[in-house]
Amino acid sequence: MFYQKEVLPNGVRILTQQVSHVRSVALGIWVDVGSRDESDANAGISHYIEHMLFKGTKHRTAKQIAEELDAVGGQLNAFTTKEYTCYYAKVLDEHFDLAVDILTDMLFHSNISEQDVEREKNVILEEIKMYEDAPDELVHDMFAKTIWSGHPLGRPIIGTSETVSGLNYQDLRSYMKDYYTPNRMVISVAGNITHRQVVEKLSPLFGTLKGNGINRQLQKPNHTSQVNCRNKETEQVHMVIGAPGLSLDNDLIYIVQVINTVLGGGLSSRLFQEIREQRGLVYTVYSYHSSYYDTGIFGIYAGLSKQNVNQAMELIFKEIKDIKKNGVTREELQRAKDQLKGNLLLSLESVNTHMSRLGKSELYLGKVYSPEEIVEKLNRVTVEDTVRVASQLFQPDKFSMAAIGPWQDCGELKNALDTLRD
């Protein structure tokens, strides 16, 4: 077994992977809560809490939290997604105890005072403004909102100025009580450390936690096929075209990864070579597939001048229709498999990647596939598989589009998309 797992009596899960040839250890504390768990009224609260845990504890100021791992060359950070939040550190193996002490101090003894909450609110509001000024990022949230209209998965993780402004420290404390509970926690550790060392260190700290909190009731989003555009005086149009994708536990996910790699997953992909290299219509074009507990999203992004939009859309749909009809070529299939396997195996030279794979896989799947198992699944993908799955994925009536640029209305884009759907 390439990893080991221990479940504490209160439900906290500890996963470890020993990597003996390195001098480092990565530690992640994963909480199974994200923006999907929020209501319309408290949107952004999961991300807000992530910020607050760095603002000081009963034992450390915010400056001390920042300084203590810096002083030993370590790293400390966190991130919030639509379905989980992660706090993590990377240190030399000799400083593992320090990393544990700091992360548990933040998690268990955070001040979250009224004064600090109000001060940090201004920081997050500035972050939202910064995000609004980054159309190449903002358009992906617009696309999620377009395809999952009215569902929490369609909301931005960061929230809105209105919802963040309405939150207070009592809201944050209550939310943590409901969701930062043992049954929602996974701890993953990878590096030069044994499973026994990790469990002996963490069990006394996490084993005494109590509470089950609120059980997540997943409601799969209904797909809406529409066009959403925002008028903004940008030099480039930023657009995303796509359709619903697959959940992370779907057995077809590896076929979708191959399709994505061939279509727009790199510099050798069809879209990059055809639209940028051969035609010079864009600076950036790529595709991506994101998976969640019960659904997914497949998107194609392009940044380009307004006069090139229709031609680029035609070329995008030309490649999609070709893959649906003919699949990928045998040469493309082998190249995609080699690219995916290479990316996977090269990434595993980082203990952070090992730690992330343990935590995320446990949250979503309740198990962790070995690299060898993943490679085997990729090797089984055939040309015929790509035809079958592309036909399921790229159904004409399921395509949606979001765009930011100098538009007076969405009519022109909607007509173009409707024409290409046929």
Side-chain angles (χ1 to χ4, degrees):
M1 190 69 174
F2 74 99
Y3 77 99
Q4 292 179 270
K5 176 179 173 180
E6 179 98 6
V7 181
L8 302 183
N10 61 356
V12 174
R13 289 160 283 173
I14 301 173
L15 289 84
T16 69
Q17 183 174 355
Q18 187 172 2
V19 186
S20 302
H21 64 272
V22 300
R23 283 293 315 278
S24 58
V25 176
L27 162 68
I29 301 175
W30 305 72
V31 187
D32 195 15
V33 62
S35 60
R36 180 174 190 167
D37 299 282
E38 301 164 356
S39 66
D40 291 338
N42 67 6
I45 193 170
S46 300
H47 172 258
Y48 205 147
I49 289 171
E50 176 215 314
H51 272 239
M52 290 309 305
L53 294 199
F54 286 83
K55 296 304 155 186
T57 71
K58 296 177 181 177
H59 310 110
R60 292 176 171 88
T61 64
K63 184 179 181 183
Q64 287 172 327
I65 290 174
E67 287 179 342
E68 287 192 32
L69 280 187
D70 278 352
V72 296
Q75 303 168 3
L76 178 69
N77 214 329
F79 59 91
T80 305
T81 74
K82 292 181 183 294
E83 294 183 322
Y84 59 85
T85 308
C86 179
Y87 303 88
Y88 65 95
K90 180 183 177 183
V91 292
L92 291 176
D93 49 18
E94 63 196 78
H95 299 304
F96 176 70
D97 286 357
L98 175 63
V100 171
D101 187 45
I102 291 174
L103 280 174
T104 53
D105 193 23
M106 293 165 55
L107 199 65
F108 303 148
H109 307 296
S110 180
N111 286 329
I112 310 189
S113 68
E114 185 171 5
Q115 182 180 5
D116 285 341
V117 168
E118 291 305 312
R119 184 186 297 116
E120 194 64 20
K121 181 177 293 184
N122 293 325
V123 174
I124 296 174
L125 291 174
E126 289 300 321
E127 187 178 356
I128 291 173
K129 292 176 185 176
M130 180 180 70
Y131 192 55
E132 288 285 334
D133 286 337
D136 56 328
E137 297 182 18
L138 182 63
V139 71
H140 295 286
D141 273 348
M142 281 183 58
F143 179 61
K145 182 178 181 180
T146 302
I147 205 167
W148 290 323
S149 179
H151 191 276
L153 282 176
R155 291 196 303 254
I157 295 166
I158 199 171
T160 67
S161 297
E162 292 74 23
T163 59
V164 170
S165 295
L167 296 172
N168 59 49
Y169 81 105
Q170 292 175 331
D171 296 325
L172 271 63
R173 285 186 175 278
S174 176
Y175 193 82
M176 284 192 72
K177 182 179 179 182
D178 287 338
Y179 291 101
Y180 277 58
T181 52
N183 59 312
R184 284 177 173 262
M185 287 188 184
V186 171
I187 306 166
S188 59
V189 179
N192 190 27
I193 195 167
T194 68
H195 181 71
R196 180 178 293 275
Q197 286 175 294
V198 173
V199 173
E200 287 181 352
K201 179 66 180 179
L202 298 181
S203 292
L205 298 168
F206 287 88
T208 58
L209 297 179
K210 298 179 180 179
N212 289 318
I214 295 175
N215 291 323
R216 172 182 276 154
Q217 300 294 327
L218 288 178
Q219 181 180 356
K220 188 173 181 178
N222 293 319
H223 159 258
T224 56
S225 180
Q226 56 186 337
V227 174
N228 181 16
C229 66
R230 179 181 295 190
N231 186 0
K232 193 176 182 69
E233 292 302 318
T234 55
E235 293 296 324
Q236 276 194 318
V237 169
H238 302 270
M239 68 178 189
V240 179
I241 301 171
L246 305 181
S247 60
L248 200 61
D249 63 350
N250 194 308
D251 289 338
L252 303 179
I253 196 77
Y254 299 98
I255 303 171
V256 173
Q257 288 180 0
V258 168
I259 293 171
N260 175 60
T261 301
V262 171
L263 183 62
L267 301 184
S268 63
S269 67
R270 290 189 183 188
L271 294 179
F272 191 90
Q273 286 297 313
E274 179 68 19
I275 300 177
R276 172 172 161 152
E277 297 299 283
Q278 297 299 320
R279 311 272 184 152
L281 297 176
V282 302
Y283 177 72
T284 305
V285 60
Y286 60 85
S287 63
Y288 61 93
H289 182 265
S290 300
S291 293
Y292 303 97
Y293 276 111
D294 53 359
T295 189
I297 192 168
F298 193 105
I300 299 167
Y301 166 85
L304 68 173
S305 298
K306 183 178 180 181
Q307 64 266 25
N308 295 332
V309 167
N310 284 359
Q311 188 178 357
M313 289 176 64
E314 289 175 6
L315 292 169
I316 288 170
F317 274 88
K318 174 178 175 289
E319 296 299 342
I320 288 173
K321 290 174 181 177
D322 183 69
I323 288 181
K324 286 177 62 178
K325 181 179 179 181
N326 303 309
V328 304
T329 67
R330 297 195 181 280
E331 292 77 13
E332 286 175 327
L333 177 63
Q334 189 57 52
R335 188 166 63 243
K337 289 179 179 181
D338 291 341
Q339 181 178 335
L340 289 166
K341 288 184 285 188
N343 289 342
L344 169 65
L345 297 176
L346 286 173
S347 72
L348 293 178
E349 295 186 2
S350 163
V351 291
N352 276 343
T353 301
H354 285 290
M355 179 273 290
S356 294
R357 288 188 68 246
L358 292 177
K360 188 175 178 181
S361 296
E362 175 62 28
L363 283 177
Y364 281 100
L365 305 175
K367 59 183 177 182
V368 185
Y369 288 111
S370 69
E372 292 76 19
E373 289 175 304
I374 295 174
V375 168
E376 183 183 351
K377 290 176 183 292
L378 286 171
N379 284 336
R380 288 204 295 263
V381 177
T382 66
V383 171
E384 292 73 24
D385 288 334
T386 64
V387 175
R388 174 171 55 88
V389 174
S391 298
Q392 295 176 24
L393 194 65
F394 302 131
Q395 296 180 32
D397 62 338
K398 289 189 176 181
F399 275 96
S400 291
M401 181 177 182
I404 298 175
W407 308 105
Q408 297 305 313
D409 60 65
C410 294
E412 182 182 347
L413 287 175
K414 187 177 185 304
N415 291 337
L417 183 61
D418 288 342
T419 300
L420 293 167
R421 282 195 184 112
D422 297 334

